[in-house]
Amino acid sequence: MGAGDIGPSGQVTAIRGAVLDLRFAVGALPGIGEAVLVRREAGTDVTVEVQAHLDAATVRGIALQDTTGLRRGARADPAGGPLEVPVGEAVLGRLLDVAGRIGDGGEPLPAGVPRRPIHRPPPPLRARDGAAELFHTGIKAFDLLTPLAQGSKAAMFGGAGVGKTVLVMELIHAMVASYEGISVFSGVGERSREGHELLMEMTGAGVLGRTVLVYGQMNEPPGARWRVPLTALTIAEHFRDEARRNVLLLMDNVFRFVQAGAEVSGLLGRLPSRVGYQPTLGTEVAELQERIASTGAASVTAVEAVYVPADDFTDPAVTTIASHVDSTVVLSRAMAADGMYPAIDPVASSSILLDPLLLGEEHVRVANEVRQAIEHYRGLQDVISLLGMEELGSHDRRIVERARRLQRFLTQPFAVTEAFTGIEGRSVPVAETIAGCSAILAGECDDWDESALYMVGTLGEARARQAAARRAP
């Protein structure tokens, strides 16, 4: 069939895994970023996003679904624009894939549900709102050291097995009790087990009605994992801009988004850049992150988990993502090994929101003193391990003892781990956290057993535990 005989529809001329070449009539090529529906004889159609124009009649695209069963010559119909996904009240309580198809086995979405394109520009700078209304999560280390404000972005960086997903799930659990807005969860390249657990937990907690779950799982093609954060963000933006409702966007895991982009880049034949990443790494991360913003009437607030490959915090993907966030929560493998959960590193974690004008003088003073005490203790750890605590001066010994108590006080049991630990989860108001840390820094707990402060909520609970230990024979 010649190019001039194809008509408005095109046809598949080559399939290389997730990469498809499509031929159209000259002058009728869909634009870059636009969607094309490739018809499959058995099963659902495959959505292809155009990535390159090879010549006057051929485009190359990346499939957003599995291409098993596709063949050359299959019909390809341009969608006339970018992929559009369902948004609005109808998607609340549902689990969707990258194209907005239902994945929870429930009823199909109603016919008139509004749809929006996944590609759109970020809000203009003049429309953004700098007002900072703080989120209080009830997690002591998070609230004290890396506070989160509406319209801001927080990222949790950590290697494999240090507790990123557990911390994200605890944040969801902590916020649904007090947070009245919409939650959108984006599972990027995650295990199906984790998605199932989250769905069951939200159903059990009765908060699924205010939540949208959007998944591009580990077993799906790279195109799905690459675009699923944009699907989730499009749903979040609709609630922010048209429903004027605050949205909490949770992403687990943003590194998988970068990883999928690297796979797509390699499949399209682009030369890799540093450490094998795609040359467009900075652009792709910015296109996602810059759409997360507050626009005055409402805001999108993001909490993102970021896997750190081989615990290398200088990895290009990690440093690129870190440059866009307001609060950086670093999870420490050494602290996790010592049983200090959540394993939030007080020294490496930081936030631009730790400002007296936002939080007050007392909060910032206590946070800085906690960080300085623990940093001082770490600087002396080699001396302690070689010579023992007895060789330290009285001043240094006092700081070390208080730093060890602060580390234990900043641990707390989580509601989501209650089934495994048997310890009831605790949510601690930020004022109680500040008061407890201030008391430890002032020396009120110098004669307490360190174990009294481990895995407790407030200082009052620790005081009761210490009193009970003293009464015990």
Side-chain angles (χ1 to χ4, degrees):
M1 184 186 291
D5 302 323
I6 295 175
S9 294
Q11 67 182 52
V12 177
T13 58
I15 306 172
R16 302 176 195 86
V19 176
L20 283 78
D21 288 353
L22 312 171
R23 190 168 178 80
F24 293 88
V26 174
L29 270 66
I32 301 293
E34 292 189 3
V36 178
L37 285 176
V38 176
R39 307 300 178 181
R40 183 158 34 189
E41 291 179 10
T44 56
D45 299 336
V46 175
T47 306
V48 176
E49 187 178 286
V50 175
Q51 294 296 318
H53 287 191
L54 302 184
D55 57 40
T58 312
V59 301
R60 179 165 290 167
I62 195 82
L64 304 186
Q65 288 97 18
D66 186 23
T67 55
T68 303
L70 278 187
R71 61 182 65 183
R72 289 174 63 183
R75 182 176 147 196
D77 293 324
L83 171 67
E84 293 190 343
V85 295
V87 296
E89 299 289 330
V91 299
L92 289 173
R94 307 306 301 268
L95 189 149
L96 311 174
D97 70 1
V98 64
R101 296 169 182 167
I102 294 298
D104 54 18
E107 293 292 319
L109 294 173
V113 63
R115 304 180 79 88
R116 296 290 181 269
I118 65 168
H119 294 292
R120 57 179 294 184
L125 195 59
R126 64 181 176 275
R128 298 183 181 224
D129 182 18
E133 184 180 337
L134 293 176
F135 267 114
H136 295 305
T137 65
I139 300 171
K140 290 183 285 190
F142 205 107
D143 287 341
L144 179 69
L145 301 166
T146 57
L148 182 64
Q150 287 194 1
S152 68
K153 297 182 277 282
M156 292 175 288
F157 297 90
V162 295
K164 295 184 300 300
T165 298
V166 170
L167 192 50
V168 167
M169 291 177 72
E170 182 67 15
L171 280 167
I172 294 169
H173 191 277
M175 287 184 171
V176 291
S178 58
Y179 179 66
E180 295 302 320
I182 302 294
S183 297
V184 179
F185 180 85
S186 176
V188 188
E190 288 300 286
R191 304 163 187 85
S192 56
R193 168 186 59 79
E194 292 171 340
H196 179 73
E197 285 175 0
L198 187 62
L199 182 62
M200 292 300 101
E201 183 163 325
M202 288 195 158
T203 304
V207 298
L208 194 61
R210 289 190 280 119
T211 306
V212 187
L213 304 175
V214 188
Y215 273 91
Q217 289 177 184
M218 196 175 271
N219 62 316
E220 294 189 48
R225 289 178 274 121
W226 190 40
R227 288 309 186 209
V228 78
L230 300 186
T231 299
L233 192 47
T234 301
I235 294 169
E237 286 171 332
H238 176 269
F239 284 114
R240 178 193 68 192
D241 298 337
E242 298 179 44
R244 297 287 191 265
R245 298 179 74 176
N246 291 328
V247 184
L248 179 64
L249 175 65
L250 299 127
M251 288 193 276
D252 189 8
N253 184 307
V254 183
F255 178 79
R256 306 290 179 207
F257 160 74
V258 172
Q259 200 173 39
E263 285 184 55
V264 168
S265 185
L267 288 167
L268 293 172
R270 296 178 188 143
L271 288 173
S273 183
R274 284 191 304 156
V275 200
Y277 287 111
Q278 61 270 43
T280 52
L281 170 65
T283 305
E284 289 174 14
V285 172
E287 284 174 351
L288 174 68
Q289 299 288 352
E290 289 303 306
R291 286 170 62 179
I292 301 167
S294 173
T295 58
S299 62
V300 174
T301 307
V303 178
E304 309 167 8
V306 184
Y307 167 68
V308 179
D311 290 341
D312 178 12
F313 285 88
T314 65
D315 185 88
V318 175
T319 56
T320 302
I321 295 165
S323 68
H324 287 276
V325 299
D326 304 308
S327 297
T328 303
V329 182
V330 176
L331 300 178
S332 162
R333 186 170 300 283
M335 290 182 66
D338 289 341
M340 299 295 169
Y341 288 106
I344 296 173
D345 188 330
V347 177
S349 301
S350 62
S351 174
I352 63 169
L353 299 171
L354 204 63
D355 187 316
L357 295 175
L358 292 175
L359 305 174
E361 297 281 352
E362 178 71 2
H363 185 150
V364 175
R365 179 189 66 79
V366 171
N368 287 334
E369 287 184 12
V370 166
R371 188 173 280 129
Q372 287 164 9
I374 293 173
E375 193 168 13
H376 191 86
Y377 166 45
R378 287 185 183 174
L380 294 169
Q381 274 184 322
D382 286 345
V383 175
I384 294 168
S385 59
L386 286 170
L387 304 174
M389 287 274 286
E390 296 76 20
E391 296 302 315
L392 296 178
S394 59
H395 175 69
D396 284 342
R397 192 183 309 172
R398 187 165 59 249
I399 292 175
V400 166
E401 289 172 348
R402 290 175 185 174
R404 287 176 60 87
R405 286 170 172 79
L406 285 167
Q407 282 187 328
R408 281 150 182 76
F409 180 64
L410 290 176
T411 63
Q412 73 189 83
F414 281 173
V416 295
T417 59
E418 197 174 315
F420 309 104
T421 62
I423 306 172
E424 184 183 349
R426 304 287 196 279
S427 178
V428 183
V430 66
E432 292 276 5
T433 302
I434 295 167
C437 290
S438 185
I440 294 169
L441 287 164
E444 290 182 27
C445 311
D446 284 357
D447 60 341
W448 292 17
D449 291 336
E450 290 178 1
S451 59
L453 294 157
Y454 180 67
M455 285 292 169
V456 297
T458 64
L459 193 68
E461 187 181 334
R463 185 177 284 110
R465 185 188 287 185
Q466 173 69 14
R470 282 178 174 168
R471 286 196 300 270

